[in-house]
Amino acid sequence: AEPIAGSGYSFNPDDGTLTVSSNDGTTAWRNHIDKTAVTNAVLESGVTSIGDSAFSGCKNLNEVTLPDDLTSIGKSAFYDCENIELTKLPSGLKSIGNSAFLDCAKLALTELPSGLKSIGTSAFWKCANIALAELPSGLESIESSTFLGCTNITLTKLPDGVKSIGSGAFKNCTNIALTELPDGVTSIGDAAFYGCSSIVLTELPSGLTSIENKVFYGCKNIELTELPDGVKSIGTSAFQDCTNLALKELPSDVTDIGYAAFRNCTNLAL
């Protein structure tokens, strides 16, 4: 079959290779080529940004070559690319968009670039094969559902500069083994650590003012003896099934305790 070429891209139908030579080319090819025909994508040097939804739904895409000068990956760029097996991302990468790698079950990253500054919501949701042991030091927030269901990440700490952790951010990450949270964290969303049975926290950041719904549900190894003084509300099922929770008292300003907040917390000494 004849190769197909357009502005910033060319495609060889015989071997399924899509070659992209410009930022615009990362998305321009989609109007002219069947996405399921692409099995190999080569982004050439000079491509610095991958557009939104650039390769989404390329279910047969297996090999991806990314250039060293890539700085950003757009929203849903590789969403539902269930066969890509990338093991690393370019070292100069600064941002990863919302849902960029959502549903990439074979994605096999073992680290993220050290200069990465932002990772969008749901970026690695359902990427059960990524095996991260640490996160880049420049991150200031972990967004909603970013690592939801990433059962192979083994973080023992979060970057010191993190201020907020979104809802469901680490939900069901059963192998993260955090022993503390950064001091500057002031908000943690609903179910952020739901089912994180390997985290072993002995205290929470002093700036927290609320403990949200289901935030530590099933975290059976957290051993808090007190909550930060500024906490005013504790959400529904916030500490449900936290069998090692050993609180001796609640902060004096707590005015609202949700349904089942401490259900099955058999070690409480309140």
Side-chain angles (χ1 to χ4, degrees), residues 25-238:
T26 62
T27 54
W29 67 272
R30 291 183 69 96
N31 296 324
H32 309 282
I33 297 160
D34 173 10
K35 64 188 177 190
T36 61
V38 179
T39 57
N40 180 18
V42 178
L43 278 59
E44 295 183 330
S45 183
V47 175
T48 57
S49 173
I50 297 176
D52 293 352
S53 303
F55 300 98
S56 66
C58 291
K59 289 185 181 291
N60 296 314
L61 180 60
N62 172 244
E63 282 186 63
V64 179
T65 304
L66 301 175
D68 289 342
D69 29 9
L70 189 70
T71 57
S72 71
I73 295 176
K75 292 180 202 163
S76 303
F78 293 99
Y79 167 49
D80 205 21
C81 290
E82 58 191 38
N83 283 303
I84 62 167
E85 296 179 9
L86 274 177
T87 55
K88 61 182 304 220
L89 297 173
S91 58
L93 194 66
K94 298 281 184 278
S95 69
I96 295 175
N98 298 348
S99 306
F101 293 99
L102 173 59
D103 268 342
C104 292
K106 290 185 181 175
L107 191 70
L109 302 176
T110 54
E111 59 181 2
L112 293 175
S114 58
L116 195 60
K117 294 279 187 269
S118 72
I119 305 176
T121 58
S122 308
F124 294 104
W125 186 1
K126 301 187 202 168
C127 294
N129 257 337
I130 64 171
L132 307 175
E134 59 180 6
L135 295 178
S137 59
L139 285 180
E140 293 187 357
S141 64
I142 313 289
E143 303 295 338
S144 303
S145 306
T146 295
F147 296 104
L148 197 157
C150 294
T151 47
N152 274 309
I153 63 175
T154 55
L155 309 175
T156 54
K157 65 187 296 267
L158 297 178
D160 291 338
V162 168
K163 309 270 189 294
S164 65
I165 299 169
S167 56
F170 294 104
K171 185 175 181 180
N172 293 333
C173 291
T174 46
N175 282 307
I176 64 168
L178 303 178
T179 54
E180 59 181 2
L181 296 176
D183 293 340
V185 169
T186 55
S187 77
I188 305 177
D190 287 1
F193 293 102
Y194 180 107
C196 293
S197 49
S198 300
I199 64 173
V200 189
L201 303 177
T202 53
E203 60 179 5
L204 295 178
S206 58
L208 284 179
T209 56
S210 65
I211 311 288
E212 302 294 339
N213 300 335
K214 298 184 179 177
V215 69
F216 295 110
Y217 189 129
C219 296
K220 60 177 189 274
N221 284 306
I222 62 172
E223 300 175 356
L224 309 174
T225 54
E226 59 179 14
L227 297 177
D229 289 341
V231 168
K232 298 180 174 55
S233 65
I234 299 170
T236 302
S237 299

